[in-house]
Amino acid sequence: MRICRGNSPSRRLSVRAFLTSIVLISLLPMGVASVAESPTATRQSELPAPNKMRRIIYNNDGSSIFFNFKGGKARTSVTAADVHRWVDEVAGMQVDTYMICPNMCMRLAYPSKVVRMLGAGEEITKENGYDGNVKVCAENIRSLVDQGYDPIGLVIDRAREKGLETFVTYRMNEAHTTHIPESAFNSKFWREHPEWRVGNGPYEQGALNYATPQVRQHMLARLREICDRYGDRIDGLELDWLRFPVHFKIIGSDHWVYHKLDVKNTPVMTQFLRNVRALTNQCGQKRGRPLLLAVRVPPTLALSRQMCLDPVTWADEGLIDFLTVSHFLVDGPREPFELEIARYRKGIPKLPIYGAIQVSDGRQRHTADDYRSIARKLWADGVDGIYLFNFFTPREKGEEPMFSLMSELGDPQSL
C-alpha cells in the first residue's frame, strides 16, 4: 500500500496489490510440527487490502479488562457489559483501529489448545499468583467462559459493532514474570524447557530463544490459532516485538532493555515473518479478503537491526502492511532514543508508519499537555497516525484516563 500524505488527516491509503502464489503450511495443534521455510511465495494475496485511515490506533493489553479495575482495585463478577465498556469509551471519536491483546503474560485470555488459559487447570495461590489481582483476573476470565462467552471475542465483536478496524496484537516474547518461575502467568512450555531460553536471568533474560526451531514452531502455532479462531472477525494481526525486545541470546548490553544480540540470527527472524505471512495469506484466501499484518518495532532502525529485526526487508518483500515505531515503556527525557520516523520512512517509503505514545503510570505521569506535545512532534515528523499504548493504566491507581484526548490527538488541526 502507498500512503498519500498531505496536510489533512483525512488522507486515504491507496491500494497496492501484492502478487503471490499460495503457501500451504501445516502445523499440529501443539505447534511442534515442522513448517515449510521457503523464502518465496509469501507476499500478500491479490485480494486488495481495504483503504483505511488510521488517525488513532488504540492498543488494549487485555488483562486490565479482566482485572475489572474500579477505584484502583480489581473486582470479580465481570460481565459482558463491563467488557463492552472498554470499547465503547473510545468509539465515536478519532480512534479508527482497536487492538486487543489476548496474552495474559505467557498464558491466554481464551480457551486455547496451544497454551492453557490463565487459571485453567490450576488453583491461583499466594505462592503462584504474582499478586492478589491475578486470582481475580483468572476468576473473571473463567466466569465469562462458564457463561458461554469468549472473553477476547467479546472485545472483537463489540469493536466491529462500533465500526472500528479490529486487530489482535500478539506479544511475541512475554517475560513479565520470568523472575518468578512458579508464577501462574508462566506457560508450561516455558517451565519445561529452560534450555530454550535466551538465558537464566529475570525478565527479558529469561525470554524464549527464537534460534530454537521448537520455539518458532510454538509461536507459529499460537498465531495460527488466532487466525483459526478469530480470522473471520478481525481485520489484521499485529506482532508486538517489544514485549519483550529480546529474541536471541544476549551478547552485550548498553541499555536497560535494548540489548545487543547476534545479528547472524536476522535471517532466522525474517524467515519467521515469511511463515507468519503465509498464515495470514492462507486465512485471507479462506475468508475472501486479506488479513493484514502489522508490527510494532523499536524506536530506531539501528536498534531493530541490533535485535535481529529487519523491517525494511519485511516491507520490501511485502511481508507487512504497516508498522508502528515505539519505545518500550517510557517517552521523553528518560528514554535516550527518539522515534526515528524519518529514517524509517526513508527505508520504508511505501507503507504507513505510526508513532506510539507510551503508557502513563508510575514511571511517567503524562499530563494532557504531555500527550499533545508528543503527538504534535510525531505529526511534524511525518507519522500517518498516533498509536496509544495502554492509555487506560491510570485506572490501576484509581484515576480515570483523559478520554477527551481521543478527540484531539488523531488530527494535527484539532491539537
Side-chain angles (χ1 to χ4, degrees), residues 60 66 151 169 175 304 309 327 345 410:
N60 191 317
F66 306 114
T169 175
S304 282
L309 307 176
H327 292 123
R345 180 76 69 193

Side-chain angles (χ1 to χ4, degrees), residues 59-101:
N59 179 304
N60 191 317
D61 75 350
S63 63
S64 293
I65 296 176
F66 306 114
F67 282 123
N68 200 22
F69 283 114
K70 186 173 184 180
K73 295 182 179 180
R75 301 176 301 155
T76 55
S77 302
V78 66
T79 66
D82 292 327
V83 175
H84 288 164
R85 175 174 64 94
W86 288 76
V87 177
D88 296 352
E89 63 196 5
V90 299
M93 293 182 276
Q94 292 174 353
V95 175
D96 295 306
T97 302
Y98 199 101
M99 292 191 172
I100 180 65
C101 176

Side-chain angles (χ1 to χ4, degrees), residues 10 18 22 34 38 45 51 56 90 114-115 195 200 217 227 330 339 352-353:
S10 63
F18 296 106
I22 305 305
S34 62
S38 168
S45 69
N51 292 340
I56 295 176
V90 299
V114 180
V115 183
E195 73 278 12
N200 298 314
Q217 298 301 327
C227 292
V330 293
L339 300 186
I353 297 176

Side-chain angles (χ1 to χ4, degrees), residues 5 8 13 47 58-59 68 84 93 129 143 177 183 185 193 196 198 201 235 278 297 309 314 362 375 399 403:
R5 294 194 298 278
S8 170
L13 303 178
L47 297 167
Y58 189 85
N59 179 304
N68 200 22
H84 288 164
M93 293 182 276
S143 174
T177 54
S183 171
F185 273 142
H193 297 288
W196 293 346
V198 301
D235 296 289
V297 293
L309 307 176
W314 302 346
E399 305 169 15
F403 285 117

Side-chain angles (χ1 to χ4, degrees), residues 238-262:
E238 181 189 59
L239 310 183
D240 186 349
W241 293 109
L242 290 176
R243 279 297 186 274
F244 276 61
V246 172
H247 313 292
F248 300 96
K249 288 188 179 296
I250 298 168
I251 62 174
S253 184
D254 54 9
H255 188 268
W256 67 291
V257 68
Y258 303 125
H259 302 294
K260 295 178 180 178
L261 312 180
D262 188 345

